[in-house]
Amino acid sequence: MPHQCTTCGRTFRDGSKEMLSGCPDCGGNKFQFKPKGTSADEEPSPPDATPSAPASSPSETPSASSPSETPSAPSPPETPSASSGTAAPGEPTDPTGPADPPASAEPRESTQAGSTERVSERTGEDTAQASARSDVVSPDELDRASRDVDPDAGPGSDSTSAEEGPRPDIGELRDELNEQFESIRIVSPGKYELNLMELYDRQEYIISLQEDGRYVIEMPDAWGISDE
Amino acid sequence: MGLLTNLKDSISRVTDGLFAADEPKRIGIYGPPNAGKTTLANRIARDWTGDAVGPESHIPHETRRARRKENVEIERNGRKVTIDIVDTPGVTTKVDYKEFLDHDMDKDDAVRRSREATEGVAEAMHWLREDVDGVIYVLDSTTDPFTQVNTMLIGIIESQDLPALILANKTDLSGSDVQQIANAFPQHETIPLSALEGENMDEVYTKIAEYFG
């Protein structure tokens, strides 16, 4: 039962294409990913404010679309339990499917991360999801994700980072910093471009930049804002 | 609500005015990197207080944090003007660690300096927005003043209605062209000087007293 509709509970076999256009029963578009051997619904702190499941699909494409992976999609061990039986095990995995996991071991991690995004609003992570996250996402990035209010930025960066090396988040943090603070653009380590008008217009004061793309800002006083 | 806001603003203006009469004006020394801002700040501070503000260097972005020298009392024509000098990091739109590698600096130090310089620019812009009552804008008179940074900063200063004094520094150097600076910013008075040699500082102090007194 790798996938379960979070609205009606219908389950889908790994590799199923049925869910690509939403749950056929209820039309729901949020699915929980449950890899084999996990059934307990633990409730670790659910990642907040990272909605927008569809946004994760394009960024997952690179891993899911790898042609060499698709033949192994049926992966029997992944789909032992009572699914609805509507899946087509032999069908290749559709790379555009947001929650459609290739079954081989490595890419599954990234897919789990993507699935986690999908269910983030309504369900907690199960243990496998939690471990997938902790395995591939650095604490820095989790920090960032928890305060990320941009619905498009979070999921994409999470799933992409899952495919990279031991410090996968530097480039993304840099990109994200650039998005959030277009007043300072980090071209590369030690190379910066500054938008003076933006720096001047900002109420926050950027106190320090750090090597990994993080930054410290001084917020304007709360009373100052309310007084203005 | 509007009435209350107006009343509060009025009270705020009156109290600000009362305090402003007592408190020294905070004058920011601004300009691009290597224009001689710290040399000028040190010159002013040494002339009137005996202290220095910060280290000078020919390496760009030596000043990466704003430094303040308070209560600098300048006496001109029998009149005393007290100001706080804020020496700010050089403002630029690009910082690249490679420019420091030519100055006997290894890559790690250059990258760190680059990051600190960037923070410094952010700080300088923050000060300009929040904390200065007037600006001394220092330019290297041997370089072309028609730059994006200069145009933007002068524009911001003008939009804030801050009193601004433009100084054409480094007149001791052979390539100095004060007129070029005067032509670039005809709406402002341009004062030539060499902060390093102390040339024409008398006029600079007279203008400081006039503009910021």
Side-chain angles (χ1 to χ4, degrees), chain A residues 103-191:
Chain A
S104 59
E106 297 80 8
R108 194 184 66 187
E109 286 192 358
S110 69
T111 311
Q112 284 171 352
S115 301
T116 302
E117 301 300 338
R118 297 191 68 83
V119 301
S120 59
E121 284 178 357
R122 298 178 53 174
T123 63
E125 294 175 332
D126 62 20
T127 50
Q129 288 168 333
S131 83
R133 286 177 69 83
S134 65
D135 284 348
V136 298
V137 181
S138 73
D140 282 357
E141 194 166 17
L142 283 177
D143 262 5
R144 174 177 55 75
S146 71
R147 66 174 180 266
D148 188 0
V149 293
D150 180 357
D152 291 324
S157 56
D158 271 2
S159 59
T160 306
S161 70
E163 299 150 15
E164 296 177 1
R167 295 193 65 198
D169 51 336
I170 302 298
E172 286 165 19
L173 280 171
R174 187 180 300 139
D175 289 345
E176 182 138 339
L177 182 67
N178 289 338
E179 271 179 31
Q180 293 177 354
F181 284 84
E182 54 193 8
S183 43
I184 297 179
R185 176 176 159 73
I186 308 174
V187 180
S188 60
K191 203 169 176 182

Side-chain angles (χ1 to χ4, degrees), chain B residues 24-213:
Chain B
K25 291 229 173 70
R26 196 174 289 167
I27 308 303
I29 300 181
Y30 277 85
N34 251 12
K37 296 178 293 298
T38 303
T39 306
L40 174 70
N42 283 341
R43 170 70 60 181
I44 297 172
R46 284 199 183 106
D47 281 354
W48 298 100
T49 70
D51 297 330
V53 172
E56 304 161 19
S57 168
H58 64 286
I59 307 175
H61 297 289
E62 179 66 21
T63 304
R64 300 186 292 285
R65 284 290 173 203
R67 294 195 186 94
R68 185 162 58 165
K69 183 71 184 169
E70 295 180 317
N71 296 314
V72 178
E73 200 174 80
I74 295 173
E75 195 171 335
R76 224 63 203 152
N77 302 324
R79 189 169 153 234
K80 283 183 181 171
V81 177
T82 305
I83 58 174
D84 291 349
I85 296 172
V86 182
D87 179 29
T88 67
V91 175
T92 182
T93 54
K94 285 183 182 167
V95 183
D96 189 342
Y97 76 93
K98 287 178 184 161
E99 69 180 302
F100 306 129
L101 295 178
D102 297 334
H103 298 277
D104 280 342
M105 208 176 288
D106 66 31
K107 187 181 173 189
D108 286 348
D109 287 343
V111 167
R112 188 183 319 113
R113 188 182 182 97
S114 176
R115 192 181 71 245
E116 291 171 357
T118 303
E119 294 164 3
V121 176
E123 184 177 17
M125 297 308 292
H126 183 75
W127 274 85
L128 186 58
R129 176 191 165 102
E130 304 282 341
D131 293 314
V132 296
D133 304 310
V135 170
I136 296 175
Y137 200 79
V138 182
L139 289 164
D140 177 347
S141 61
T142 67
T143 62
D144 182 3
F146 291 97
T147 66
Q148 185 190 9
V149 167
N150 292 337
T151 305
M152 198 176 292
L153 280 182
I154 296 289
I156 289 172
I157 291 162
E158 289 171 349
S159 72
Q160 290 245 75
D161 282 332
L162 290 172
L165 192 56
I166 294 188
L167 303 186
N169 193 20
K170 305 193 183 183
T171 55
D172 54 306
L173 299 181
S174 59
S176 170
D177 186 350
V178 176
Q179 192 55 47
Q180 192 179 21
I181 293 177
N183 293 342
F185 305 105
Q187 68 277 35
H188 295 279
E189 193 172 6
T190 297
I191 314 296
L193 83 154
S194 167
L196 185 66
E197 302 295 334
E199 292 171 7
N200 204 33
M201 288 306 294
D202 275 348
E203 185 181 7
V204 170
Y205 293 135
T206 300
K207 291 297 178 185
I208 286 176
E210 183 185 317
Y211 276 65
F212 309 123

